[in-house]
Amino acid sequence: MTAPALDGPRPDRKTGGVPPPARLPRRMIPLAFRAAGITLVALAVGLAAAVRGSDASDPLLTYAVVMTAACAAAVWGLWLAVDRYLLRAAETLSREAGLIAHGNAEGAVGGRVPLARYGDLLPIARAVNDLSDKLAQVRRDIARTVADSTAKAEEQKTQLAAVLRDLHEGVLVCNTRHQILLYNQTALDILHLTGELGLGRSLLHFVVAEPVTHTLERLTLRVREGRHVNHEHGTTAQFVGATTDGRILLEGRMSAILQDPDPASGEPSVNTSPAITGYVLTLSDATSELAALGQRDSLLREATEGFRAPIANLRAAVETLYDAPDLGPGDRAAFESAMLDSCSSLSQRLERVTNAYRNVVTGSWPMSDIHSNNLITLVAHRVGAESATTVTLTGLPQWVHGDSHSLVLLFAYLIGRVQALTGATAFDLEAAGPQDGDRWVYLDLVWQGPAVSSATLDGWLDQTLPDGLGGLSAGDVLQHHRSTAWSEPLPTDGATDSARARLRVPLPPAQSPRTAQPRPKAGARPEFFDFGLLHQPLATSELGRTPLDRLHYVVFDTETTGLSPSTGDEIIQIAAVRVVGGRILTGETFNTLVDPKRPIPPESVPFHGITDGMVVGKPTIDAVLPQFRSFVSGAVLVAHNAAFDLKFLKMKERAAGVAFDCPVLDTMLLSRMLLGNDGDHTLDGIAERLGIEVVDRHTALGDSLVTAAVFLRMIEMLREREVRTLDDAIRGANILVELAARERAF
């Protein structure tokens, strides 16, 4: 008999890692002995039969029979010895070894095999004892390590429990499906729950879903776009929520839990942004604070808004007395002066109380700096999810300070009201910077149709917002932001000649504004005159006669490794924005980094901020240009110092299999056409003179947005110079190119 194998079955490569069925052990030694014995016995029997049947006695045959029988007896005896002293001993040893393998490791040494029992198998028995000692040592080491790790884990658990227990804020850890993974006792107290929250239960069973999901959407968008790296609040955001029964108002902060992409997962390297796997929520009970704020709101509103009518009556009485002929001149003058002084004092007091009221309201409501594009994107998403109404993001981005959630609710509510009143289903929503020296940033809701009357708008502002916390009204949201709202008609649309109107809401600017970072002046991009590129034929008859304000444009910009494409410099970024009907469609952009397949010179990095690590794994220019050509299809290209960017594009046309044969307008040439050759015709210089400023000025997309804003202002100025159509603009630009060529020739 053979000992059982100690090793488990191994995976088979041909069967995909699944081991084949176990085979019965081949008992070769017993089989060999039995075969030899049976053969010898059979031979002896045969020879004996032959001897008996023979007439003559043959001594050799008799001797063969005897020797064969003796060999058979020897084989049988040898089998008995091997079976008893080797095979059975080996089987016993294997069973004892298996018993030792499943024993414990509490002793100083492992289980022992009695050496005297195994005779010739003594070396194997000693090896089993040695392996048993080493196995016991390994088990003791593992047990010690597990005990140490368990003790440390318990210590950390105790410390974490102590920290969470002593926190005055409720802490909950949830996954992206809002299932609760961890919480502290304070969370139970804040939510006024008895018993347990229940691990694995949804947080949205206890807390109103909208503020939580909205905040998670904000953080997801911030992380997906990579803004969390340089954002002031990183991966955290504040919000105001409530319990599902509405009894408790909550002030919360959400912190995203990030997981970096696994390089071994085989995912494409283009998307290197981390993924949000969950979030940590800290909650505090703001019911009493916000309730007190609501009471102050009511009181101060009564003390401010309620004074307006009495003041108006008082002034009317003063005017009436002023016109009364019954009083004498002296008494009349004294009476009038006293009444006017009272009115003036009351008005000043009213303004002071109003300002103090707004300061209290604004300071008590949690707010943060918000990028206007992100705010408008969230509004468009909410409106589009609830109806067929479309919201288009237009204009230049700005930074504002406010409560993102309540502002999204406000604009979604106002869009619904305007749609119901006017029937408009398409809206533009854009941010406009400070105007006429004020400090406000304006969010303008624009539609085709009549404006909203003041009385109607005031009625809307008194209504409670859908999904608003604590009965929050539209007017309350404006009060929290020290703001107001009004509607006014706009000039008719040049393309349709239909009435247009807007609803304007001023908002406070960002408290920590992201200032533009201009390019370094030393080594700035030079004016680039490639006369073959700049001098272009007039457009086709229909397109050439089209007024400039009715054309479809794509304003673009590139970032490069250097200034000389003919000596090997390459494009490392292309960005563009669409301009239609005099509107900058900020939501329709093209923006991608390009792998130049060569190192980016360190001296050029300060100009564009793009490093070698940022372009690793990005698509090459051969893959990007067809996508960019599709984006600009049917549009007129616009760029500042366009010949520089076109030179890089033209040199890659054949390799990419595309052709940029559409009309091109250069804002640098248009600036020379409007202002003459003297003066600053750089993009920064023109934008500064026109009072145009945009965030992210140091990026290709930021430059495209500035160029688009500059170009729209130039269209108005060109119209005054009788440059009205595309052919007029191309003709004027060609004249400037020819003059520049002649100057260089001399």
Side-chain angles (χ1 to χ4, degrees):
M1 299 178 62
T2 58
L6 297 180
D7 294 336
R10 297 182 180 178
D12 188 82
R13 295 182 181 178
K14 295 182 179 180
T15 58
V18 179
R23 298 177 179 177
L24 293 176
R26 303 175 113 184
R27 306 174 66 88
M28 296 302 298
I29 295 177
L31 183 61
F33 275 101
R34 289 172 183 173
I38 292 172
T39 302
L40 291 174
V41 171
L43 182 59
V45 172
L47 290 174
V51 170
R52 179 174 296 182
S54 175
D55 295 335
S57 176
D58 187 353
L60 291 177
L61 187 59
T62 303
Y63 179 76
V65 172
V66 174
M67 292 304 296
T68 301
C71 288
V75 169
W76 179 253
L78 182 61
W79 157 247
L80 293 178
V82 169
D83 181 59
R84 180 175 180 179
Y85 296 107
L86 289 180
L87 298 183
R88 293 184 182 181
E91 183 178 4
T92 303
L93 180 60
S94 68
R95 291 178 179 177
E96 290 193 359
L99 183 63
I100 292 172
H102 291 85
N104 57 46
E106 295 180 358
V109 295
R112 314 302 296 171
V113 172
L115 301 180
R117 182 187 301 172
Y118 294 103
D120 292 336
L121 298 181
L122 181 62
I124 300 177
R126 285 176 177 171
V128 170
N129 286 340
D130 291 341
L131 290 175
S132 176
D133 292 340
K134 293 179 179 179
L135 177 60
Q137 182 62 40
V138 170
R139 286 177 171 174
R140 286 193 297 273
D141 292 343
I142 292 175
R144 188 182 306 110
T145 303
V146 170
D148 293 342
S149 300
T150 303
K152 291 181 180 179
E154 288 295 331
E155 181 182 359
Q156 294 175 354
K157 179 181 178 181
T158 303
Q159 293 174 352
L160 178 61
V163 171
L164 294 179
R165 183 176 59 251
D166 294 338
L167 285 177
H168 297 292
E169 294 179 325
V171 178
L172 301 102
V173 180
C174 303
N175 59 22
T176 54
R177 297 188 300 275
H178 308 291
Q179 292 175 311
I180 300 172
L181 307 179
L182 178 68
Y183 63 91
N184 64 349
Q185 180 62 38
T186 310
L188 293 175
D189 298 337
I190 291 176
L191 297 176
H192 290 249
L193 297 176
T194 57
E196 302 290 334
L197 278 174
L199 298 181
R201 295 190 64 184
S202 175
L203 173 68
L204 306 185
H205 291 165
F206 311 99
V207 177
V208 174
E210 182 67 21
V212 177
T213 56
H214 170 80
T215 307
L216 185 58
E217 286 179 0
R218 288 180 59 195
L219 292 178
T220 301
L221 182 63
R222 186 188 302 174
V223 171
R224 183 184 303 133
E225 297 177 353
R227 295 183 288 104
H228 66 288
V229 178
N230 299 319
H231 197 278
E232 178 183 3
H233 299 294
T235 57
T236 64
Q238 290 181 313
F239 68 94
V240 176
T243 55
T244 51
D245 57 11
R247 294 186 299 110
I248 304 168
L249 293 177
L250 303 169
E251 185 174 352
R253 174 180 289 272
M254 181 182 293
S255 300
I257 302 173
L258 303 183
Q259 181 179 9
D260 292 331
D262 185 5
S265 62
E267 295 293 331
S269 58
V270 176
N271 183 14
T272 58
S273 60
I276 295 181
T277 59
Y279 57 87
V280 179
L281 208 62
T282 57
L283 299 174
S284 59
D285 189 348
T287 306
S288 58
E289 179 181 352
L290 294 180
L293 177 60
Q295 295 174 356
R296 293 196 300 270
D297 288 351
S298 301
L299 178 61
L300 292 176
R301 188 181 298 113
E302 180 67 23
T304 54
E305 306 297 338
F307 283 172
R308 296 190 181 275
I311 290 176
N313 295 334
L314 181 59
R315 288 185 173 178
V318 171
E319 293 173 356
T320 301
L321 292 175
Y322 185 81
D323 295 333
D326 299 332
L327 297 175
D331 294 337
R332 183 185 182 89
F335 184 76
E336 291 173 352
S337 177
M339 294 294 289
L340 290 176
D341 289 342
S342 298
C343 288
S344 177
S345 176
L346 188 58
S347 297
Q348 293 176 3
R349 180 179 180 181
L350 174 62
E351 292 302 322
R352 288 195 303 270
V353 173
T354 301
N355 292 333
Y357 160 66
R358 289 180 175 175
N359 289 334
V360 169
V361 171
T362 304
S364 301
W365 200 262
M367 298 185 184
S368 60
D369 289 348
I370 313 168
H371 194 276
S372 63
N373 280 10
N374 299 330
L375 179 64
I376 297 173
T377 298
L378 292 171
V379 172
H381 176 74
R382 182 180 182 88
V383 172
E386 296 178 351
S387 67
T389 304
T390 59
V391 177
T392 302
L393 172 62
T394 63
L396 300 181
Q398 303 288 334
W399 283 92
V400 299
H401 189 73
D403 172 31
S404 173
H405 182 228
S406 63
L407 288 175
V408 169
L409 293 179
L410 172 66
F411 277 95
Y413 166 76
L414 292 175
I415 289 172
R417 288 290 189 170
V418 173
Q419 193 275 334
L421 178 66
T422 66
T425 58
F427 296 85
D428 290 347
L429 189 54
E430 66 175 320
Q435 300 177 3
D436 300 328
D438 62 13
R439 55 183 295 271
W440 296 94
V441 176
Y442 297 90
L443 256 62
D444 292 340
L445 182 66
V446 181
W447 66 91
Q448 289 189 354
V452 180
S453 66
S454 299
T456 301
L457 182 58
D458 290 341
W460 292 352
L461 298 182
D462 290 336
Q463 298 299 316
T464 301
L465 287 176
D467 300 326
L469 298 173
L472 193 70
S473 70
D476 291 335
V477 175
L478 294 177
Q479 289 284 2
H480 294 155
H481 293 82
R482 304 186 191 180
S483 182
T484 184
W486 68 90
S487 180
E488 58 190 6
L490 293 176
T492 57
D493 188 350
T496 60
D497 293 330
S498 59
R500 299 170 64 242
R502 73 179 174 192
L503 194 155
R504 169 161 281 196
V505 175
L507 294 175
Q511 292 185 351
S512 301
R514 277 67 169 175
T515 56
Q517 299 181 16
R519 300 175 184 270
K521 293 185 178 180
R525 182 182 295 181
E527 293 183 356
F528 196 86
F529 286 99
D530 188 316
F531 301 107
L533 294 175
L534 291 177
H535 194 289
Q536 54 185 326
L538 299 181
T540 58
S541 58
E542 183 66 25
L543 184 63
R545 292 195 299 269
T546 304
L548 291 174
D549 58 359
R550 297 191 181 186
L551 288 172
H552 171 196
Y553 301 96
V554 169
V555 185
F556 77 102
D557 183 64
T558 64
E559 299 295 347
T560 62
T561 59
L563 304 177
S564 180
S566 58
T567 60
D569 282 320
E570 299 285 347
I571 295 174
I572 54 178
Q573 186 180 23
I574 299 179
V577 62
R578 202 178 301 279
V579 176
V580 179
R583 303 175 301 159
I584 302 174
L585 303 184
T586 319
E588 297 187 26
T589 59
F590 183 94
N591 187 17
T592 182
L593 292 172
V594 181
D595 188 351
K597 295 300 181 182
R598 57 156 291 180
I600 299 175
E603 59 271 16
S604 70
V605 173
F607 294 90
H608 46 63
I610 301 173
T611 62
D612 287 324
M614 297 170 63
V615 298
V616 171
K618 299 300 181 182
T620 61
I621 192 65
D622 297 345
V624 170
L625 282 188
Q627 301 174 15
F628 181 61
R629 183 63 183 84
S630 176
F631 182 80
V632 306
S633 178
V636 176
L637 284 176
V638 179
H640 189 80
N641 200 0
F644 177 86
D645 302 288
L646 285 175
K647 185 69 173 180
F648 280 88
L649 298 181
K650 290 291 184 181
M651 291 188 67
K652 297 297 181 180
E653 283 183 334
R654 178 176 298 180
V658 297
F660 291 92
D661 50 4
C662 42
V664 181
L665 293 179
D666 187 348
T667 51
M668 184 181 70
L669 291 179
L670 295 179
S671 177
R672 290 176 177 273
M673 188 186 306
L674 292 169
L675 305 175
N677 288 328
D678 297 332
D680 185 359
H681 297 287
T682 64
L683 184 58
D684 288 324
I686 300 172
E688 184 178 357
R689 289 197 299 272
L690 294 176
I692 297 172
E693 184 177 358
V694 67
V695 298
D696 300 328
R697 168 65 181 89
H698 57 291
T699 64
L701 183 57
D703 290 350
S704 299
L705 290 169
V706 173
T707 304
V710 166
F711 178 68
L712 290 179
R713 300 280 183 89
M714 285 183 171
I715 289 178
E716 302 173 3
M717 301 168 65
L718 290 170
R719 189 183 301 114
E720 298 175 357
R721 299 289 187 92
E722 298 300 324
V723 179
R724 300 179 178 274
T725 65
L726 178 60
D727 276 348
D728 292 339
I730 293 177
R731 190 179 295 109
N734 286 342
I735 292 174
L736 289 177
V737 171
E738 291 176 1
L739 291 176
R742 293 177 183 178
E743 290 179 1
R744 295 199 175 189
F746 290 101

